[in-house]
Each structure stands twice: as structure tokens, then as C-alpha cells.
């Protein structure tokens, strides 16, 4: 495995995905700058350094990104939270990441989420799988911040030529733990290989990738994976017998975002299925 010519900055290094990537990419010889608002909990990987910083601090990010060829932006609030808690780390933080990338001419790999499109209904067959250019249907303030990040990537590519790959991550955990994850699960191995291709691919432009493993029950179809040369190798399907569990909540079970869609849901009735196209 080749290592990039320039160091790579990883935000959110102390989170679950950040810790995994720091270790895995370091093992492949990558030079890493790690940052997070909380201390890095693991032994420092080879060729890596850590600086504690807040994503609200744009000057700190610019310093950390100096000389970097790519920024893996995995930092910020990673679950649904009230708007005021999401605002600083996720919205202002994205601006700081993109401004740092602009100064360095660095490529951004953005940990977006399925929650940017979480209010799409779950498909009933392969023909109804969602493509990357579907409408954003965020399922809360967290998902909305991810849609904003993808659009920020669109704008920085169109206006400044800053390349970016937006990973609509499904559910990246050691294994699927409920039935929804048979569709949304992303293995750590597939995540590592995906991030490697995002950085090493000759060209990326503005790309959007459904970041889930090769799950037969996936909700998602076309995206830009061929452009970067990635294909997932793992599959959630072998866990099916262990994860039969379905919640009793009709909102959770109806939409792709699962439980996030039901948080503070206040429609008197769900939107009618047969009128759905009228609401797009
Ligand atoms: C996410 O975006 C979250 O960061 C993660 O904790 C999971 O909730 C995941 O989505 C999911 O939808 O399973």
C-alpha cells in the first residue's frame, strides 16, 4: 500500500472511527496529524502526532493543516443533538476545515452520514435504491449539518477547485446489531480501504459515496466509487440470523435514518406514501 506524499490531517481522531483510522493508516506508513477536542486515548501510532483543538478555532486548524495534502474530517458532533450544540463544531468547523484545505490545496474527505438523506423511505426492492444525486432529506439537525457539509464541498470544488469526497456513512461498527444495519453496515476494513482510495485516487473532483459494505439489503445504488477505484469487500448478510430485532415504532421502521427520524417527530400522521412524489 502506497503512502501519500504529504502528511494527512485527521480531525475527530479520538472518536471510534478516528481511532481506527489512525491505527490502520499509520500501519500502512501514512504520516498523520491527529486532532480532537478530547485527548487521544490510545498509544500514539508510528509517524503520528496529536494536537488537542476545538473545531471552532479556525487558526488552530490552519496551523495543523500546514503542509498537508489531505484532510480527513471525522470531527464534530456525531449523533442527533440540539441545534446550538451542532452549530459550532459541525457548521463553523466545516468552514474552518475548508478554509484550511483551500490554503494548502488539500483534498477533503468528509465523514457525511446517511442522516443527510434519512427521511427517504426504505426501499422495498432493488429498483428503488437511492442514487447519490437524490434529494437531501435530513432527519434532524445532525443530518442537516452533514447535508451542509456536502454542499460546502460542492461550492469549494466549483469555486476554488478544492477536491472533496463525501462519505455518506451508514452504520460503521464492529458488526451489525439490528435489522436496519443489514442494509446500512460498513465494516472497519471497508472504511479503511475507502479512505485510502479517497486520498490516493488521481482525481476526485466533488464526489459522493454511499459508505456501506457490499450488503445485499442495501438501500443505496449509484455513486462515484468508480472514479476513486473503491469497491467494498465485506457484507452484513451473514449476521442476519442474529439481528432479527425490529422496533415497535412505525416512524423508525419506515425511514432510512431509523431511530433518528423518530426523535421529536411531531407530524400528526406520517406523510402519505402515494403522495410522496408530490412532496419532493
Ligand atoms: C451516524 O451518523 C452516527 O454517527 C452513528 O453513531 C450511527 O447512529 C449511524 O449514523 C447510523 O445511522 O447507524
Amino acid at each position: 500500500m502506497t503512502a501519500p506524499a504529504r502528511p494527512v490531517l485527521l480531525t475527530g481522531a479520538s472518536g471510534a472511527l478516528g481511532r481506527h483510522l489512525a491505527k490502520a493508516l499509520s500501519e500502512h506508513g501514512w504520516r498523520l496529524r491527529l486532532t480532537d477536542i478530547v485527548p487521544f486515548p490510545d498509544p500514539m501510532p508510528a509517524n503520528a502526532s496529536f494536537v488537542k483543538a476545538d473545531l471552532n478555532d479556525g487558526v488552530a486548524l490552519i496551523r495543523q493543516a500546514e503542509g498537508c495534502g489531505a484532510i480527513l474530517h471525522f470531527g464534530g458532533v456525531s449523533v442527533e443533538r440540539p441545534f446550538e450544540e451542532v452549530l459550532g463544531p459541525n457548521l463553523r468547523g466545516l468552514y474552518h476545515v475548508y478554509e484550511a484545505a483551500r490554503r494548502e490545496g488539500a483534498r477533503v474527505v468528509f465523514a457525511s452520514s446517511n442522516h443527510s438523506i434519512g427521511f427517504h423511505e426504505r426501499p422495498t426492492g432493488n429498483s428503488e435504491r437511492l442514487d447519490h444525486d437524490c434529494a437531501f432529506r435530513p432527519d434532524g439537525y445532525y443530518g442537516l449539518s452533514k447535508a451542509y457539509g456536502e454542499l460546502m464541498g460542492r461550492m469549494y470544488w466549483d469555486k476554488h477547485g478544492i477536491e472533496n469526497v463525501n462519505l455518506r456513512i451508514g452504520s460503521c461498527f464492529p458488526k451489525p446489531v439490528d435489522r436496519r444495519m443489514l442494509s446500512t453496515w460498513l465494516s472497519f476494513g471497508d472504511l479503511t480501504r475507502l479512505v485510502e482510495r479517497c486520498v490516493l485516487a488521481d482525481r476526485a473532483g466533488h464526489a459522493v459515496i454511499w459508505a456501506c459494505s457490499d450488503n445485499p439489503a442495501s438501500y443505496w445504488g449509484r455513486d462515484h466509487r468508480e472514479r476513486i477505484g473503491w469497491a467494498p469487500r465485506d457484507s452484513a448478510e451473514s449476521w442476519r440470523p442474529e439481528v432479527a430485532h425490529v422496533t415497535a415504532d412505525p416512524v423508525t421502521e419506515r425511514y432510512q435514518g431509523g431511530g433518528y427520524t423518530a426523535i421529536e417527530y411531531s407530524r400528526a400522521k406520517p406523510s402519505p406514501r402515494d403522495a410522496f412524489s408530490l412532496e419532493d
Side-chain angles (χ1 to χ4, degrees):
M1 168 57 56
T2 341
R6 292 200 277 163
V8 170
L9 174 63
L10 171 63
T11 72
S14 305
L17 305 194
R19 288 167 69 185
H20 165 76
L21 287 172
K23 185 166 182 292
L25 298 175
S26 153
E27 282 168 3
H28 290 159
W30 289 33
R31 285 178 294 151
L32 297 172
R33 308 241 184 101
L34 310 178
T35 182
D36 204 299
I37 198 168
V38 299
F40 188 67
D42 302 328
M44 196 53 56
N47 296 315
S49 57
F50 176 82
V51 173
K52 191 167 170 290
D54 187 339
L55 288 167
N56 279 294
D57 183 349
V59 175
L61 260 168
I62 281 173
R63 272 203 209 107
Q64 288 159 20
E66 253 168 45
C68 287
I71 304 179
L72 311 179
H73 183 36
F74 280 69
V77 171
S78 65
V79 291
E80 179 62 351
R81 298 299 302 159
F83 177 74
E84 291 296 338
E85 285 179 43
V86 172
L87 174 62
N90 288 30
L91 303 191
R92 194 174 294 115
L94 265 158
Y95 167 66
H96 292 152
V97 164
Y98 268 96
E99 276 303 290
R102 180 150 82 109
R103 283 172 82 106
E104 299 301 324
R107 185 179 290 176
V108 175
V109 180
F110 174 49
S112 182
S113 167
N114 72 89
H115 296 290
S116 65
I117 55 86
F119 264 120
H120 281 278
E121 292 193 43
R122 299 183 189 189
T124 49
N126 284 359
S127 58
E128 294 176 59
R129 283 182 172 186
L130 279 187
D131 293 333
H132 65 88
D133 52 359
C134 67
F136 285 117
R137 296 188 93 123
D139 57 27
Y141 299 114
Y142 165 68
L144 191 56
S145 77
K146 295 299 186 182
Y148 172 82
E150 291 193 30
L151 282 170
M152 186 167 273
R154 176 82 264 178
M155 190 274 272
Y156 271 76
W157 168 241
D158 286 339
K159 197 161 200 171
H160 304 300
I162 295 303
E163 292 193 303
N164 53 88
V165 189
N166 300 273
L167 310 180
R168 284 193 191 147
I169 300 176
S171 308
C172 192
F173 295 100
K175 60 178 193 169
V177 297
D178 59 27
R179 206 166 71 174
R180 171 176 167 272
M181 288 195 200
L182 292 176
S183 304
T184 61
W185 185 63
L186 173 68
S187 72
F188 284 136
D190 280 336
L191 171 71
T192 310
R193 292 183 284 272
L194 173 55
V195 169
E196 283 169 347
R197 290 311 308 151
C198 288
V199 174
L200 296 173
D202 287 340
R203 54 181 281 276
H206 165 75
V208 176
I209 311 272
W210 297 111
C212 73
S213 285
D214 187 19
N215 307 325
S218 171
Y219 304 148
W220 305 316
R222 279 190 310 112
D223 63 11
H224 294 122
R225 64 192 54 199
E226 277 176 27
R227 189 188 296 174
I228 61 158
W230 175 72
R233 295 183 197 164
D234 298 322
S235 163
E237 198 55 28
S238 55
W239 275 279
R240 185 173 285 278
E242 290 174 40
V243 297
H245 173 73
V246 178
T247 70
D249 181 55
V251 175
T252 298
E253 294 305 326
R254 179 179 175 120
Y255 297 110
Q256 300 195 2
Y260 284 54
T261 61
I263 298 170
E264 308 224 335
Y265 186 88
S266 71
R267 278 183 84 108
K269 283 191 208 153
S271 56
R273 271 176 212 274
D274 53 6
F276 213 64
S277 58
L278 300 176
E279 294 192 351
D280 279 341

